[in-house]
Amino acid sequence: MSQPTVILATASYDHSIRFWEAKSGRCYRTIQYPDSQVNRLEITPDKRYLAAAGNPHIRLFDVNSNSPQPVMSYDSHTNNVMAVGFQCDGNWMYSGSEDGTVKIWDLRAPGCQREYESRAAVNTVVLHPNQTELISGDQNGNIRVWDLTANSCSCELVPEVDTAVRSLTVMWDGSLVVAANNHGTCYVWRLLRGTQTMTNFEPLHKLQAHKGYILKCLLSPEFCEPHRYLATASSDHTVKIWNVDGFTLEKTLIGHQRWVWDCVFSVDGAYLITASSDTTARLWSMSTGEDIKVYQGHHKATICCALHDGAEPATS
């Protein structure tokens, strides 16, 4: 079966995962996911697998198969898995859960290889571009850096006490990190270079982005340069696009009728896909701010989306 060049997947409270033809908006495959809702979707760097983070497991599905069965299940979390992602070569996966742990999984071996205790429900985890540090954000407002080389927590920050950190994002070159919280605020730090570790967070900006919750924040990808954007998706039904140079509001994406839970940029930063409680996902043009495609098929809230439209990494 030929590899689709663009892989777009969405998951919903209707207990299904859908694959879409991004351009036409046609749903070409539906996987039933009866065990739980899916909190997060992520596609492996080689485009072969889709990870679905549920409660309390993570399931890996073959992107190119029609089989409804997962090829692998990862089972040692004990509560909702809220974050999942892959190392750049796809050798290992990381996850964060409401059980208060961050875990690392070797995709070639069963079981969890490492576990870090956050002591509060983990809402978000990102991998630093250096591939040696994970940054997690939790329900109590803690941000922690997990140094994978030293196998320990190398840094702790609390931008706002008792205010849940909902989403974290790191600039592709490792220069900035942004944390979004339940008060609609984004905290921006410069990550000081020249040091081996990135434990030096220098406060750069505090952005009052929305009046409601921010459910996802995302910095634009490398091929978007020289433009640098921050997207914030909110319970106020909008997504805002901020210019990272000065954090001025570039545009507001209006069209969703309910909470916007997730968003993902195309590889060149020209498009953004969003997922909303209004049951739809939408494709937006970053240049015009218009929605150019609506993906309709789910019949309950669509809470996460994943897109891989880039070239596959060169196999070493």
Side-chain angles (χ1 to χ4, degrees), residues 96-258:
S97 164
E98 289 181 347
D99 65 14
T101 65
V102 174
K103 291 179 189 269
I104 290 180
W105 316 77
D106 186 328
L107 293 180
R108 299 154 301 187
C112 157
Q113 268 59 48
R114 287 194 197 178
E115 181 177 303
Y116 300 108
E117 288 284 342
S118 190
R119 302 189 295 282
V122 176
N123 293 327
T124 175
V125 183
V126 287
L127 176 60
H128 187 280
N130 63 19
Q131 308 292 306
T132 62
E133 284 159 312
L134 288 170
I135 311 172
S136 67
D138 70 29
Q139 196 64 20
N140 291 356
N142 304 298
I143 295 170
R144 292 193 173 90
V145 179
W146 307 96
D147 182 331
L148 305 183
T149 315
N151 208 17
S152 64
C153 176
S154 59
C155 177
E156 260 180 73
L157 291 169
V158 186
E160 218 171 302
V161 177
D162 288 337
T163 305
V165 176
R166 275 284 174 157
S167 183
L168 288 165
T169 178
V170 186
M171 188 58 89
W172 64 269
D173 60 3
S175 60
L176 294 176
V177 63
V178 181
N181 72 16
N182 270 358
H183 290 166
T185 311
C186 284
Y187 288 87
V188 186
W189 294 270
R190 191 180 274 118
L191 296 177
L192 297 183
R193 295 180 182 180
T195 53
Q196 279 307 298
T197 59
M198 51 142 274
T199 43
N200 299 327
F201 282 68
E202 181 185 274
L204 184 66
H205 200 77
K206 181 182 174 182
L207 178 68
Q208 194 54 51
H210 297 266
K211 288 200 168 68
Y213 302 125
I214 299 175
L215 302 164
K216 174 81 176 217
C217 64
L218 189 63
L219 286 160
S220 56
E222 177 178 0
F223 299 110
C224 195
E225 298 287 323
H227 304 293
R228 297 189 157 204
Y229 298 114
L230 170 71
T232 55
S234 169
S235 62
D236 68 11
H237 310 180
T238 70
V239 179
K240 291 185 179 177
I241 307 297
W242 307 86
N243 192 321
V244 170
D245 189 25
F247 290 93
T248 50
L249 182 62
E250 195 88 3
K251 45 182 69 79
T252 303
L253 309 184
I254 297 170
H256 281 301
Q257 306 300 308
R258 310 259 319 259

Side-chain angles (χ1 to χ4, degrees), residues 32-48:
Q32 297 306 320
Y33 201 95
D35 300 345
S36 75
Q37 83 271 14
V38 175
N39 303 305
R40 189 65 62 208
L41 291 171
E42 195 69 49
I43 298 161
T44 55
D46 63 7
K47 292 191 187 178
R48 285 182 58 190

